[in-house]
Amino acid sequence: MSIIIRFLGGAHSVTGSRYLVETGGKRILIDCGLFQERPLRERDWIPFPVPPHSIDAILLTHPHLDHSGYIPKLAKDGFRGRVYCTQATKEIAKILLLDSASLLMEDAEIKRKRHQREGRRGPYPEIPLYDIQATEDCLPLFKAVSYEHTVKITRGIEATFFQAGHTLGSASICLHIQQRNGKKIILFSGDLGRQGKPIIKDPTLFTQADYVVIESTYGDRVLDPPDALIPQLAENINWTVKTGGNIVIPSFALERSQEVLYYLNQLLLSNTIPHLMVFVDSPMATSITDIFRQHEDLMDSETITLIKNGNSPFAFPGLNMVRTTDQSKAINRIKGSIIIIAGSGMCTGGRIKHHLVSNITRPDSCILFVGYQASGTLGREIVEGAKEVRIFGQQYPVNARIAYLRGFSGHSDQKELLAWLANIRKTPRHVFVTHGEASVTESFAALIHERIGCPVTAPEYLEEISLD
């Protein structure tokens, strides 16, 4: 009985993660994400390579939209299987997917009106990929599983979820496939977090796997250790306070916003920065932070100690969790320096665009990036030094200070990825390098082959590989 993997996304790209495993007439999809790089977004509109109703189950590593955001579309088109994930991922995915649907509907309407006004048609349809109703219809398909508890997915296929250290509830997944000559283990890393990263526990290390699908977001570089972020964050905040501007932090609602709050809390507790007002301008980040408070069992010992001592990073003096549009608009009327954390993390939508309009032309303000910026996104344009950027259809000069703290990443760097892989005692039969830009996946694949000594492939989009 052969095993075939089709790389339907996340191949030579950092978004759209979708890996289809086929064996014995069964189809299991590992992750089901949206493509978020501008040149690749049209892939979301292409009919899925296999009939959605033929897929038996989806195994979801974590709820970031580049891993989960296509699920409503797949369900709308006929998928009726279970979506297996951890409880925290299930809770957070509901928030992210409903927000995604709202943004897709809003963007489609904005484009329709703008194109009508300009007398032209855009490159993408003026209808949303999916809507709120389609999203609500798919939510009952989600089934929560516990870490390290093996679940039967379908005949001859089981799965076990392990801590990945990337987001609250994120998982690496071991897929166990029964064959005539015994079980084969395919290990999907998911997005791997960093060792020593605050709030959540470190990624699980594995000792056994026949095949490994590993991410490579930062497979081409070694990042600063997490502790190095503290002085860098403080320096940028203190500089901006002296100039009288605002610190604007584009941040993902999940994990990154909570991590930023953790470090700000540390700086405030040590009086390293002035006690400014901090605004988390994201109803989604606010709701996700509430979920964090309910899952202390998933947090590391340092965070639990802070909470028990009354120094929670999610409830310090001066912290304002913004929910309504009116509250968001009022932020820009505040005089004096403030810290604004708003989504989206790559500046592709959400409230961050409004704060960029108010601050990106100001030489006294600082736009502080704390996460990966995918190719083709507004955030990538800014960090790569664009002198002028287009926001809401208008051009704005980039006069603000631009800072990029790479150590904030929720992804393992090259050294950490290699160490995670090298922990497997028996050399895997094959390693597949995914979830990275093309040049990174290729170079990291060559490095793995050199260091580990096993066959390594950086698959192409839609490539089909037999594991026989």
Side-chain angles (χ1 to χ4, degrees), residues 93-164:
K94 177 180 179 179
I95 296 171
L96 296 188
L97 291 175
L98 287 170
D99 182 75
S100 173
S102 295
L103 289 176
L104 288 170
M105 294 169 68
E106 179 183 326
D107 287 349
E109 181 62 15
I110 290 172
K111 286 176 184 175
R112 186 190 66 79
K113 290 180 178 178
R114 186 168 73 240
H115 296 164
Q116 186 178 48
R117 186 172 62 250
E118 297 173 352
R120 67 181 180 89
R121 292 187 63 83
Y124 307 112
E126 294 167 348
I127 58 172
L129 188 67
Y130 53 84
D131 57 18
I132 295 289
Q133 187 60 57
T135 303
E136 291 178 341
D137 289 345
C138 83
L139 294 176
L141 302 178
F142 282 70
K143 181 177 177 59
V145 300
S146 301
Y147 280 127
E148 302 185 25
H149 176 71
T150 300
V151 179
K152 180 179 179 180
I153 304 302
T154 187
R155 187 183 71 252
I157 302 176
E158 298 177 332
T160 313
F161 289 64
F162 296 89
Q163 175 64 255

Side-chain angles (χ1 to χ4, degrees), residues 14 24 33 89 96 209 244 258 318 340 384 463:
V14 292
T89 289
L96 296 188
Q258 292 78 31
I340 305 166
E384 287 189 340
E463 186 169 355

